[in-house]
Amino acid sequence: MAELNQVSAADFELLPNDRKRNNETIEKPSLSFAQDAWRRLKKNKGAFISLWVIVVIVAAAFISIPYANTTTTAEQNVMQQNLPPKAPGNLPGFNGKQKVDGERFDAYKRADVKKGEYHIFGTDQFGRDIFKRVLYGTRVSLQVALIAALMDLVFGVTYGMISGWKGGRVDMVMQRIVEIISSVPNLVVFVLLILIMKPGLFSIALGIALTSWTSMSRLIRAEVLSLKEQDFISAAKTLGTSPWKIGLRHLVPNVSSTIIVQLMFTIPSAIFFEALLSFIGIGIPVPMASLGTLLNDGQTAFQFYPYQLVFPALILSALMIAFNLLADGLRDAFDPRTRD
Amino acid sequence: MSGMFKYILKRIGIIFLTLIIVISATFFLMKLMPGSPLANAARLSGEQRQLIESQYGLNDPLMVQYWHYLVNALQFNFGHSFQFQDQPVSRLIAQRIGPSIQLGLQALVFGVISGIGLGAAAAVRRNTKTDTTLSILAVLGVSIPSFVFAALAQYFVGLKLGWLPIAGWEGFKFTILPTIALGMAPLATAARFIRTEMVDVMGSDYIELARAKGLSQNEIVWKHTLRNSLIPLVTLIGPMAVNLMTGSVVIEKIFAIPGIGGQFVSSILTNDYPVIMGTTIVYSMMLMVVLLVTDILYGLIDPRIRLAN
């Protein structure tokens, strides 16, 4: 108490003037839309981890081109058929041991594999290294998905913008067409296309894009319908800007978050659809391989060599989960209503 | 009600138009295919060939052939299979459509009902561990492809544990694994949807009122929240049906189920064009009927929706 009484005016000091001035403002650093979305995405743990999972898988699939390509994945070695997974070190499950009729033995020793040679995912019935094949298959699956997403983007966005912008009769006819296309099962559209085109990377991607662009175009149309009533568009029109320029300069930037989110949902569904087609044997033709063909191979041998099924299944599932989580996260991050 | 009637008529008109477009596409694609059924019959004299061609109507102008095909297809007459001689395609399909429909319906019912249950549980206990676990499970269910799940379930449940048969179609036991595998996606979709809807509804004024009236938590959840969340779920059934059709093709292959999906795949692999065309048309028809029925249902159960608009 005594100490308190001894406090004198000299113990206080005046705050500098400029600090006082800002006392009333509550301010966060101003962020651009992208920065804001990025900040919110980082907060979403699932989406952020997914982003890294995707980066790692995509990088691994594309950096490994010299290591795992059409020629190296086709290398067959009859002496090394169906070897179980083996990695350096003596990890359980990755030690090259196999159990047949209750007897455990080192399959690598029996097959006379050189010391220091490893197949971390094992080998298949032709002695091909499954790790290489999974890398290669992942790349093919991703390529199909990316090409499909790109076509989806170009076609779906253009169609949706024209339909929404023109309105009236044009819009009605265009929407009827979308309605008709989307009431045909996607597998049917795909099969009809495959009948006239040779199966391959491009035709499969085209088939997937043909069945998925309708949802993109619908979303874009709905946004354009409401955007075109806004003042800045009227201003652009009054100034005599051409419709194409309005589309590119004003509409596309305003629907970009919808486009990104929809693309993020298109990619996993394209990966899924490609895998499904390859799995039933009408997708990527041999000697190419995708995750779907690997799963198909694995499924025929899974009774005796489950690892041949498990590894491609794991990678495919990881990709699907990561893309879906990231898409969910992006949708929330772009949504101004979730802004804090 | 007349608005409703008009709407249904319009929709049926669109269905017919779509069917005609699909049938026309299949016809002209088939005509684009190289080769003819008589290409290998080198020993036929010109006269014999002409006789056979006129017998099958192959000499008619393209438009006449097209008209015949269209009229026949609309009556489910798709010609004879290439692979199974003397078997009309319609009979092949009729023999195999049963298991496919059964599997699809079972998966839909199983998926939607368990999805509603799990979604409601997550919404009631939102922001707890149960909710988080269920959300993670739902993401897995949406993401993991049905055939990956099916193949793994077949290995672990069917082979390792031996609880259920690995493959085949000889009784209810055989349907369990395929139903679960196929129902995973609708389950997860429904669960996520119901959770979001219910959380939304829980914040609305009429739930506040119900609470103010002193209704018990159970009554609020069952009579007000869940009921109102179920209505928009109907709109999801259409997209679910599309996915079930696609999924059943591969599930039927994995579990060796004698349905039209498996037949469709083998007809594609063997270039059995009449079967491909027939199945294509049947698939499209089934999907459009499902879409129409769900739309009508939606209009009937939600008085706020005016179908005519």
Side-chain angles (χ1 to χ4, degrees):
Chain A
M1 227 24 198
E3 271 171 44
L4 257 183
N5 286 337
Q6 279 162 14
V7 176
S8 68
D11 290 331
F12 297 94
E13 72 179 299
L14 270 171
L15 275 176
N17 225 0
D18 59 320
R19 251 189 92 181
K20 243 193 300 187
R21 198 177 51 219
N22 290 335
N23 268 356
E24 293 298 316
T25 58
I26 301 165
E27 200 171 60
K28 282 200 284 189
S30 122
L31 296 170
S32 73
F33 181 65
Q35 283 171 326
D36 201 36
W38 172 244
R39 190 179 54 85
R40 263 174 288 153
L41 186 69
K42 273 200 289 194
K43 266 195 202 157
N44 182 337
K45 261 187 234 148
F48 199 61
I49 296 171
S50 301
L51 179 65
W52 284 108
V53 170
I54 292 169
V55 168
V56 168
I57 293 181
V58 171
F62 285 94
I63 289 171
S64 63
I65 292 178
Y67 170 69
N69 50 41
T70 324
T71 37
T72 61
T73 48
E75 272 169 22
Q76 301 188 1
N77 189 341
V78 205
M79 295 310 295
Q80 302 188 359
Q81 284 171 350
N82 297 320
L83 289 176
K86 185 182 183 183
N90 207 0
L91 300 160
F94 287 95
N95 49 17
K97 296 250 167 46
Q98 211 166 17
K99 198 167 162 184
V100 176
D101 295 331
E103 180 203 355
R104 272 184 88 80
F105 59 89
D106 190 337
Y108 280 66
K109 224 174 244 163
R110 188 172 284 195
D112 253 347
V113 182
K114 268 183 287 170
K115 228 182 167 180
E117 193 179 330
Y118 300 105
H119 298 286
I120 61 169
F121 285 1
T123 62
D124 68 1
Q125 51 166 336
F126 300 115
R128 294 176 295 195
D129 183 59
I130 293 180
F131 181 61
K132 275 185 202 168
R133 279 174 67 74
V134 167
L135 278 175
Y136 175 73
T138 310
R139 190 188 319 140
V140 170
S141 290
L142 284 171
Q143 278 169 333
V144 171
L146 290 178
I147 299 175
L150 208 66
M151 290 196 267
D152 190 34
L153 174 81
V154 173
F155 199 60
V157 171
T158 320
Y159 194 95
M161 291 224 301
I162 293 175
S163 181
W165 181 256
K166 290 272 179 191
R169 211 156 256 278
V170 179
D171 182 40
M172 207 197 70
V173 172
M174 287 176 90
Q175 286 314 301
R176 283 296 97 76
I177 294 174
V178 167
E179 224 167 89
I180 287 174
I181 291 175
S182 53
S183 62
V184 181
N186 47 11
L187 193 67
V188 165
V189 178
F190 184 84
V191 166
L192 293 183
L193 185 83
I194 270 316
L195 285 180
I196 44 170
M197 287 179 81
K198 261 198 184 146
L201 250 173
F202 183 76
S203 57
I204 288 170
L206 180 67
I208 294 171
L210 272 185
T211 58
S212 66
W213 65 272
T214 47
S215 45
M216 174 73 98
S217 80
R218 273 192 183 138
L219 286 171
I220 300 297
R221 169 182 172 269
E223 293 229 357
V224 169
L225 274 181
S226 72
L227 273 176
K228 74 171 181 183
E229 302 299 332
Q230 291 188 18
D231 290 343
F232 69 99
I233 299 290
S234 316
K237 264 199 239 169
T238 320
L239 289 171
T241 320
S242 75
W244 286 106
K245 207 169 169 191
I246 294 181
L248 278 178
R249 287 280 173 82
H250 299 291
L251 295 180
V252 169
N254 275 295
V255 296
S256 59
S257 54
T258 312
I259 295 178
I260 293 173
V261 170
Q262 182 59 24
L263 273 188
M264 280 295 151
F265 282 113
T266 308
I267 292 175
S269 71
I271 293 176
F272 164 75
F273 204 51
E274 186 280 320
L276 185 140
L277 296 166
S278 297
F279 190 84
I280 57 180
I282 55 174
I284 292 288
V286 280
M288 283 171 90
S290 76
L291 287 173
T293 38
L294 292 177
L295 278 170
N296 191 13
D297 293 348
Q299 209 244 340
T300 52
F302 80 101
Q303 295 201 10
F304 307 106
Y305 312 109
Y307 60 90
Q308 295 185 7
L309 173 70
V310 168
F311 290 114
L314 276 181
I315 300 291
L316 179 63
S317 306
L319 263 181
M320 297 284 299
I321 294 168
F323 269 113
N324 275 315
L325 278 178
L326 181 63
D328 276 348
L330 278 174
R331 189 179 47 194
D332 293 344
F334 284 140
D335 188 351
R337 278 172 303 176
T338 61
R339 188 168 302 197
D340 48 5
Chain B
M1 224 35 207
S2 76
M4 173 94 161
F5 187 67
K6 242 169 120 185
Y7 172 80
I8 295 175
L9 272 188
K10 203 176 112 196
R11 283 293 303 267
I12 291 177
I14 291 181
I15 288 183
F16 257 98
L17 188 65
T18 314
L19 266 185
I20 287 171
I21 290 173
V22 171
I23 294 170
S24 314
T26 59
F27 174 80
F28 289 108
L29 285 177
M30 204 146 75
K31 283 287 150 192
L32 277 178
M33 295 301 145
S36 99
L38 304 176
N40 290 330
R43 266 173 285 168
L44 288 176
S45 70
E47 205 174 326
Q48 283 169 321
R49 176 182 287 261
Q50 268 196 345
L51 267 175
I52 292 175
E53 280 181 348
S54 68
Q55 190 187 342
Y56 284 101
L58 293 172
N59 282 334
D60 295 340
L62 192 65
M63 274 340 222
V64 175
Q65 290 187 35
Y66 170 58
W67 178 248
H68 284 307
Y69 182 81
L70 192 64
V71 170
N72 280 330
L74 284 174
Q75 296 165 0
F76 293 105
N77 184 357
F78 306 116
H80 290 256
S81 161
F82 287 171
Q83 199 188 2
F84 307 100
Q85 292 289 321
D86 304 328
Q87 283 269 31
V89 174
S90 48
R91 195 193 298 157
L92 278 177
I93 293 176
Q95 280 168 354
R96 284 171 154 254
I97 205 164
S100 294
I101 291 182
Q102 188 194 341
L103 180 62
L105 284 181
Q106 270 181 220
L108 190 67
V109 170
F110 158 76
V112 169
I113 291 180
S114 6
I116 291 172
L118 293 178
V124 171
R125 296 180 183 73
R126 76 168 176 284
N127 300 331
T128 63
K129 276 208 179 110
T130 327
D131 183 21
T132 321
T133 321
L134 287 175
S135 303
I136 293 173
L137 284 181
V139 170
L140 294 185
V142 170
S143 310
I144 297 180
S146 54
F147 55 96
V148 172
F149 184 80
L152 294 177
Q154 194 181 34
Y155 177 69
F156 288 107
V157 181
L159 194 74
K160 280 271 157 170
L161 299 169
W163 289 348
L164 292 165
I166 297 179
W169 193 257
E170 285 148 37
F172 181 70
K173 246 180 126 180
F174 288 81
T175 69
I176 297 174
L177 272 187
T179 302
I180 295 177
L182 197 56
M184 231 40 190
L187 187 156
T189 318
R192 291 179 100 183
F193 187 81
I194 285 290
R195 186 195 172 276
T196 333
E197 274 299 308
M198 277 182 72
V199 169
D200 245 24
V201 172
M202 276 173 182
S204 63
D205 292 343
Y206 62 87
I207 297 294
E208 276 308 289
L209 176 71
R211 204 163 278 144
K213 276 199 308 192
L215 292 190
S216 73
Q217 176 71 15
N218 265 339
E219 269 176 309
I220 294 177
V221 169
W222 286 107
K223 286 206 178 149
H224 295 274
T225 322
L226 189 58
R227 266 201 186 176
N228 281 299
S229 311
L230 285 181
I231 295 172
L233 187 68
V234 177
T235 53
L236 280 186
I237 291 180
M240 277 179 189
V242 185
N243 292 337
L244 283 179
M245 271 179 196
T246 322
S248 72
V249 171
V250 56
I251 295 292
E252 282 175 18
K253 179 182 179 256
I254 293 177
F255 291 102
I257 297 165
I260 51 171
Q263 188 182 44
F264 191 40
V265 174
S266 70
S267 70
I268 296 165
L269 295 176
T270 53
N271 289 337
D272 195 343
Y273 296 128
V275 177
I276 300 180
M277 303 312 161
T279 321
T280 298
I281 294 163
V282 168
Y283 265 138
S284 315
M285 209 178 255
M286 287 201 305
L287 179 62
M288 286 184 286
V289 170
V290 170
L291 292 177
L292 178 64
V293 169
T294 54
D295 275 3
I296 294 174
L297 216 62
Y298 192 45
L300 286 180
I301 59 177
D302 191 342
R304 288 171 305 180
I305 307 286
R306 285 279 158 265
L307 282 175
N309 302 331

